């Protein structure tokens, strides 16, 4: 964790030591593999309060808020933030039956689509042939250059990143180290995930392999009708960048 732990929002987890406090209904703690109802993470709260479908009935009965009439009906427990992320990640296994089949077919289509798009990009711009590339978060640009001279300029969005240290995927919309300008358009992919109830698209961080990064990138390129995806490797894994527009400098 980068953030300093304030005593008031810290707890001692038997498994993970000192950690951030999160609030979760006890049904999700005992059965994490189900739909988690919560707000999305924001810069102030990376682990928003979460409750199960049964508790959500009480929430909706009060017009989508917690107050003195429904709070007592929901058994809320404290959970360490590492346990929270692990349990939320485990909830992805709730996808089954026709939804799983639809998701699988959707990913296949997106992957083929992205392969074609990336092949075309490489034919036109030969992205691997340039000496270096740099991105500028403020301009949301990725610039390929040779000897200090820009050769190709792409308008980009961050899709997300795969960490080989933690074997996790993190969506850019939940990566608050990134500037807003480069992580908010990708929320359209999350909205798409909501409308189809695809948990991989709506869960901020989950246990993954690098191939999952390509799958998410392909889904994002499809939903946002992108020109392609560029993978930028680093010591701890790789970032996946969506190419919205691209031209020779
Ligand atoms: Zn519950
Ligand atoms: Zn823990």
């Amino acid at each position: 964790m980068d953030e300093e732990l304030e005593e008031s929002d810290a707890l001692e987890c038997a498994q993970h030591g000192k950690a951030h406090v999160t609030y979760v209904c006890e049904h999700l703690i005992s059965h994490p593999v189900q739909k988690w109802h919560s707000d999305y993470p924001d810069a102030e709260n990376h682990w928003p309060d979460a409750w199960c479908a049964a508790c959500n009935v009480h929430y909706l009965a009060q017009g989508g808020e917690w107050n003195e009439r429904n709070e007592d009906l929901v058994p809320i427990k404290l959970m360490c933030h590492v346990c929270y992320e692990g349990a939320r990640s485990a909830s992805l296994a709730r996808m089954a039956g026709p939804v799983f089949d639809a998701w699988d077919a959707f990913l296949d289509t997106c992957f083929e689509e992205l392969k074609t798009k990336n092949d075309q990009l490489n034919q036109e711009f030969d992205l691997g042939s340039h000496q270096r590339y740099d991105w500028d978060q403020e301009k949301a640009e990725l610039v390929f250059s040779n000897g200090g001279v820009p050769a190709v300029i792409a308008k980009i969005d961050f899709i997300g990143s795969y960490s080989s240290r933690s074997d996790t995927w993190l969506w850019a919309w939940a990566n608050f180290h990134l500037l807003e300008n480069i992580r908010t358009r990708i929320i359209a992919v999350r909205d798409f995930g909501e409308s189809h109830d695809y948990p991989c698209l709506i869960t901020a961080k989950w246990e993954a392999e690098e191939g999952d990064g390509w799958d998410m990138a392909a889904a994002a390129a499809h939903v946002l009708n992108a020109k392609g995806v560029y993978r930028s490797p680093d010591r701890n894994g790789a970032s996946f960048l969506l190419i919205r527009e691209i031209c020779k400098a």
Side-chain angles (χ1 to χ4, degrees):
M1 287 313 304
D2 313 326
E3 292 93 332
E4 282 286 304
L5 275 175
E6 302 266 341
E7 282 308 321
S8 59
D9 37 61
L11 60 67
E12 193 70 31
C13 172
Q15 208 184 335
H16 303 108
K18 200 172 182 190
H20 290 276
V21 173
T22 72
Y23 301 88
V24 176
C25 85
E26 70 176 21
H27 316 114
L28 288 180
I29 295 178
S30 49
H31 296 102
V33 185
Q34 57 173 312
K35 188 174 172 74
W36 286 47
H37 294 262
S38 75
D39 289 340
Y40 282 107
D42 59 32
E44 277 71 49
N45 187 1
H46 299 191
W47 307 280
D49 303 354
W51 54 91
C52 72
C55 292
N56 199 47
V57 172
H58 302 304
Y59 180 72
L60 295 178
Q62 292 299 319
E65 63 165 27
W66 294 115
N67 57 35
E68 68 278 6
R69 282 186 295 277
N70 59 4
E71 268 168 359
D72 291 345
L73 303 171
V74 174
I76 292 290
K77 291 259 166 77
L78 306 187
M79 200 178 199
C80 119
H81 76 277
V82 187
C83 290
Y84 176 103
E85 286 180 355
R88 256 201 122 128
S89 176
S91 80
L92 264 56
R94 74 181 168 85
M95 205 167 38
V99 179
F100 182 85
D101 294 341
W103 166 246
D104 210 36
F106 169 71
L107 280 187
D108 280 350
T109 309
C110 295
F111 199 80
E112 284 307 312
E113 210 176 271
L114 179 59
K115 226 166 81 185
T116 308
K117 286 175 174 175
N118 271 2
D119 283 350
Q120 206 171 338
L121 276 189
N122 280 320
Q123 254 176 40
E124 210 171 329
F125 300 100
D126 205 3
L127 295 180
S129 71
H130 305 287
Q131 271 175 10
R132 59 175 294 144
Y133 61 88
D134 302 272
W135 63 62
D136 181 322
Q137 291 198 36
E138 264 170 45
K139 290 189 190 155
E141 268 181 12
L142 177 66
V143 178
F144 297 84
S145 59
N146 303 294
V149 181
V152 175
I153 301 175
K155 285 280 178 198
I156 56 160
D157 289 297
F158 268 70
I159 300 167
S161 47
Y162 163 73
S163 164
S164 52
R165 277 197 306 179
S166 55
D167 285 318
T168 50
W169 169 256
L170 174 66
W171 281 103
W173 48 259
N175 185 348
F176 302 104
H177 295 114
L178 299 172
L179 291 186
E180 221 173 281
N181 183 37
I182 208 152
R183 64 171 158 83
T184 46
R185 275 174 294 264
I186 210 73
I187 288 174
V189 183
R190 189 176 80 189
D191 293 342
F192 178 88
E194 278 289 349
S195 63
H196 291 77
D197 199 23
Y198 291 152
C200 295
L201 300 186
I202 60 178
T203 305
K205 186 179 180 182
W206 41 276
E207 212 176 292
E209 297 169 0
E210 177 142 12
D212 293 318
W214 274 115
D215 281 347
M216 296 311 105
H222 172 83
V223 172
L224 288 167
N225 197 19
K227 296 274 195 297
V229 168
Y230 194 72
R231 172 183 169 278
S232 171
D234 57 51
R235 270 178 309 154
N236 304 319
S239 297
F240 291 83
L241 312 175
L242 180 124
I243 297 179
R244 267 187 287 140
E245 292 164 39
I246 187 164
C247 64
K248 288 186 174 143

